[in-house]
Amino acid sequence: MNPVYLIHDETLDPETLISGVEANVQPLLFGQTELPPQGARVILYLNDESIKLLWNNASENQWQLGILPHPQSKHASRAFCPANVKLTDCFTKLLEAECQSLDTLSCNGTPVFSNIIVGELLVFNLKDTSHALSRWHALINMVRKFRQLQLHSYELVTATDQRISLALLGMMVLEQGRRPWMGRGLAEILDPGDRRLSLVAVAPRSVMAFIALILRFLFQGRINPRNLPDSIGLIKTRRLTLSAAEGINYQLDGLAMGAKELVCEVQEKHIQLISPQLKEKTSTSDIRKDQLKMAQLPCGSAVAELADKPIPLFHHASEDEFRELFRSLRENAIASPAFNVLMVLSVLLAVTGLFADSAPVIIGAMILAPLMAPIISLAMGLARADSGLLQNAIKTLSGGIVLALFCAVLVTWLMPLSTLTSEMRARLTPTLLDLGVAVISGIAGAYANAKEEVAKSLAGVAIAVALVPPLSVVGIGLGWGDLAMAGGAMLLFTTNLVGIALAAALTFLVLGFAPFHLARKGVSITLLSLAIISIPLFLSFQKLVEKNRLIRALPQGQVSILDHQAELSIQEVIRGEPTLISVKLVSSEQLGTAHVEALKQSITQRLGQDIELEAEIRLKR
């Protein structure tokens, strides 16, 4: 019977394993005896460092190698040993288990049992700790480092000689079949049937993106390789060379090391491993090809802009990223015949809908409105302090407004109707709620223009909702000579215009299309204008709140008035001195002046203030 060699350290008494075993086991103390012969069956009870010293010998001598769990070999034990098995049981299994050829990962010739970590990658470990308290401590420590975190420039060369320059916060290199000690969230990326190494790169362009990535790992815990976050990149290849101008500090299975460059490669069938837990790998991909998913990471001109600098609070777009958007916004800032035609048609349709008191017709006018283009261009001009873009956008927007007012006034003069409809009345008393609509519209418009995958027509509708109807009401008010009506609608229009421009400018700022120092002046002026406009909006909102309070305090439904039963409904409440309350009374009995007076006294006592009551009485039989 061929002997089985047990290489162990001084922490093991080999008799505890050999006794009762029928196999011919020869114990060898590590470092004090000769190595086993070629082709021998060898079982190791050693720490990670000692196993790595014998690793290449095992390959050269074609040992059939088995690994026993050792207290100081957490990486090798995790990768090659059965989980939750006692030492004696594991030894018995290794004596009986078959051997198979195994691909292994190396870094600069050193075997890798778990992973190679370059830079700051604690984010992958937020859910790997065994206690929630330590996980939150890890999160707190990371938050403290936000302002010290930096991206660094690296050059990567794959097995097919694809050369990539990137600015990265950190990287992790691991072999597909391993269970890494760190990075449980990467489980879905690893494919045991893929015989390539995987590099997971982290490159948040801003502190906000890094926070979003942390929260995703903390609460979701895993990365889907089919839908990678914008801050994560993935490379799968057989060989990968990493280099940096100032060298690379890294951790190999938790051990801190440094080198000018790292050469990581998968060594095919490098080790004959005895392990009952390993299964034959079936390749599910062409290992000769490289898989790269790095499009979202900073490359090209962005590397020089972001490398070796503190990560900004918000993402700064590179010149390549905003060049096309900026060209498009410059074109949109200039009035065209199509813009003027659509402006006229949308206002004519809106005025018709307002007179007809038809919401669907007004919505049609919103869809036609072309105001999105100059307003978004105006917002970019404010964000980047671009005087040329600002002048063109203001000129186009002013021309469109004048044209719209002229058309609205003309239609009003020609229209034989002079009744104030509910759709008109709804736009005469703007409040802070209307400002909220404007802000949301501005964010939608800027975001849709910045992101190609978002339909820009959606933003056009959102912005038109807040601009075309009040502008048309201004024209109707001027046509009737009602300055109060025109002034109320103009306040709403101005509120929406300023709110949209400010929100869009801030959105461009957050998305990284403008630096803070350029945006400071334009945003400050817009904020000041918005603050001034907000004063009457706040007062109007207070009146709305008070009106709702009065309505809730008023009696409604079935009421008793001087022993007569009636159905009471509130029609309108108009604040004033005194407050006018309009109600409708429906009763099967005849109601008269005495009943109305009794109802007025009851409401006065309930509200604690004088009122003027306007009652519509209907007899039901």
Side-chain angles (χ1 to χ4, degrees):
M1 179 183 294
N2 294 329
V4 176
Y5 296 91
L6 172 63
I7 302 179
H8 63 92
D9 58 17
E10 296 178 349
T11 64
L12 177 71
D13 180 5
E15 291 300 323
T16 60
L17 296 178
I18 296 175
S19 60
V21 175
E22 296 181 359
N24 178 16
V25 180
Q26 295 188 14
L28 301 175
L29 184 62
F30 176 70
Q32 297 185 8
T33 55
E34 294 183 0
L35 295 177
Q38 187 169 3
R41 195 175 184 91
V42 180
I43 298 177
L44 304 181
Y45 180 79
L46 301 170
N47 59 32
D48 282 336
E49 184 178 356
S50 300
I51 294 174
K52 289 182 179 182
L53 291 176
L54 292 176
W55 197 254
N56 288 331
N57 294 108
S59 177
E60 293 171 2
N61 293 320
Q62 299 181 351
W63 291 346
Q64 297 180 14
L65 192 67
I67 308 294
L68 287 172
H70 188 283
Q72 297 178 4
S73 69
K74 63 180 182 180
H75 296 291
S77 297
R78 185 180 178 88
F80 306 117
C81 297
N84 302 320
V85 178
K86 293 182 179 179
L87 181 62
T88 53
D89 294 339
C90 184
F91 182 68
T92 303
K93 289 179 179 291
L94 291 179
L95 291 176
E96 301 172 353
E98 296 183 357
C99 180
Q100 72 176 65
S101 298
L102 182 72
D103 293 349
T104 63
L105 175 64
S106 69
C107 176
N108 291 353
T110 302
V112 181
F113 298 151
S114 181
N115 54 43
I116 307 156
I117 298 173
V118 180
E120 294 282 352
L121 282 185
L122 185 59
V123 64
F124 287 144
N125 204 29
L126 286 175
K127 299 201 76 169
D128 285 354
T129 53
S130 58
H131 302 289
L133 183 61
S134 58
R135 182 165 67 243
W136 284 107
H137 280 169
L139 180 61
I140 292 171
N141 290 334
M142 191 173 294
V143 171
R144 290 174 179 169
K145 294 180 179 180
F146 275 161
R147 299 313 298 165
Q148 286 76 43
L149 293 177
Q150 294 183 357
L151 303 185
H152 298 286
S153 176
Y154 297 95
E155 186 170 275
L156 286 64
V157 182
T158 69
T160 57
D161 293 327
Q162 297 188 66
R163 191 175 299 271
I164 313 163
S165 295
L166 297 168
L168 304 175
L169 180 64
M171 296 172 278
M172 179 185 290
V173 181
L174 58 164
E175 202 267 327
Q176 295 280 19
R178 301 290 182 267
R179 293 180 298 151
W181 182 260
M182 178 180 178
R184 189 179 305 168
L186 305 176
E188 294 186 20
I189 285 181
L190 302 180
D191 177 10
D194 193 333
R195 297 169 59 191
R196 298 172 292 183
L197 64 85
S198 289
L199 178 136
V200 182
V202 180
R205 294 172 181 256
S206 66
V207 171
M208 299 305 295
F210 192 42
I211 293 175
L213 189 62
I214 290 174
L215 294 176
R216 179 165 181 168
F217 270 93
L218 190 62
F219 297 107
Q220 183 176 340
R222 293 185 182 275
I223 287 182
N224 185 343
R226 292 175 295 276
N227 185 24
L228 291 174
D230 289 345
S231 301
I232 299 290
L234 176 64
I235 295 178
K236 292 186 178 183
T237 182
R238 292 287 291 178
R239 176 187 173 92
L240 187 66
T241 302
L242 293 81
S243 59
E246 299 180 357
I248 300 175
N249 294 321
Y250 64 102
Q251 296 179 43
L252 194 157
D253 290 340
L255 182 63
M257 307 178 74
K260 185 67 176 178
E261 72 173 15
L262 303 183
V263 179
C264 307
E265 59 182 332
V266 175
Q267 298 172 298
E268 187 175 0
K269 297 182 179 181
H270 185 250
I271 288 290
Q272 302 295 315
L273 192 72
I274 310 167
S275 179
Q277 73 169 359
L278 289 179
K279 298 180 180 180
E280 188 71 26
K281 291 185 179 182
T282 302
S283 180
T284 58
S285 58
D286 189 347
I287 63 175
R288 295 170 299 177
K289 295 182 179 180
D290 295 335
Q291 178 182 347
L292 280 75
K293 295 183 178 181
M294 313 289 283
Q296 301 297 331
L297 302 189
C299 58
S301 61
V303 174
E305 295 176 10
L306 296 174
D308 302 319
K309 300 173 185 177
I311 297 177
L313 181 61
F314 296 108
H315 164 57
H316 290 174
S318 67
E319 182 179 349
D320 295 336
E321 292 171 314
F322 76 77
R323 183 184 294 113
E324 188 63 32
L325 171 62
F326 208 61
R327 183 186 300 113
S328 173
L329 293 181
R330 284 192 179 278
E331 293 174 355
N332 292 340
I334 301 175
S336 64
F339 172 85
N340 293 328
V341 170
L342 288 177
M343 193 72 236
V344 171
L345 292 176
S346 63
V347 173
L348 292 178
L349 196 58
V351 172
T352 304
L354 288 166
F355 274 107
D357 205 19
S358 172
V361 176
I362 296 174
I363 293 173
M366 296 171 185
I367 297 174
L368 283 178
L371 290 172
M372 178 187 71
I375 295 175
I376 298 301
S377 298
L378 175 67
M380 180 64 85
L382 290 171
R384 296 191 61 85
D386 189 316
S387 58
L389 187 59
L390 278 172
Q391 290 175 5
N392 289 335
I394 292 174
K395 182 179 178 180
T396 300
L397 193 58
S398 300
I401 292 172
V402 171
L403 183 60
L405 291 177
F406 173 78
C407 293
V409 171
L410 182 60
V411 172
T412 301
W413 285 345
L414 298 176
M415 187 72 65
L417 302 175
S418 58
T419 303
L420 186 67
T421 64
S422 60
E423 289 289 343
M424 297 178 191
R425 188 180 296 109
R427 291 164 176 87
L428 299 182
T429 54
T431 68
L432 291 176
L433 296 177
D434 297 288
L435 179 59
V437 173
V439 169
I440 296 171
S441 299
I443 294 173
Y447 186 80
N449 276 266
K451 302 293 183 179
E452 294 182 359
E453 66 272 18
V454 180
K456 295 183 179 181
S457 61
L458 296 179
V461 172
I463 293 176
V465 164
L467 288 171
V468 169
L471 185 60
S472 300
V473 175
V474 172
I476 294 173
L478 293 176
W480 286 348
D482 189 339
L483 297 183
M485 177 181 176
M490 180 56 74
L491 176 60
L492 175 58
F493 174 77
T494 306
T495 299
N496 291 333
L497 180 60
V498 174
I500 290 170
L502 176 62
L506 292 177
T507 302
F508 282 134
L509 197 64
V510 172
L511 293 176
F513 290 97
F516 278 97
H517 68 276
L518 287 179
R520 187 180 296 115
K521 183 177 180 180
V523 171
S524 298
I525 294 173
T526 312
L527 276 173
L528 178 61
S529 303
L530 191 62
I532 295 172
I533 294 172
S534 296
I535 296 174
L537 295 179
F538 176 77
L539 296 177
S540 181
F541 184 72
Q542 286 291 89
K543 292 180 180 179
L544 179 62
V545 172
E546 180 63 20
K547 178 180 178 180
N548 287 338
R549 186 189 68 81
L550 291 175
I551 292 175
R552 288 196 304 269
L554 291 172
Q556 296 190 58
Q558 196 71 26
V559 296
S560 178
I561 309 173
L562 298 179
D563 297 328
H564 284 59
Q565 298 299 315
E567 185 74 23
L568 173 65
S569 59
I570 307 300
Q571 300 297 102
E572 189 174 10
V573 176
I574 302 176
R575 294 281 297 168
E577 294 296 337
T579 298
L580 173 63
I581 299 175
S582 178
V583 301
K584 180 170 70 173
L585 292 169
V586 180
S587 175
S588 59
E589 302 174 273
Q590 185 67 45
L591 301 179
T593 305
H595 296 88
V596 175
E597 185 62 31
L599 178 60
K600 176 182 178 182
Q601 291 179 3
S602 175
I603 294 176
T604 300
Q605 291 176 0
R606 184 187 287 256
L607 299 181
Q609 66 181 61
D610 292 334
I611 67 164
E612 182 178 350
L613 184 63
E614 182 182 272
E616 176 187 351
I617 300 175
R618 292 188 179 184
L619 187 63
K620 180 175 69 174
R621 292 295 186 185

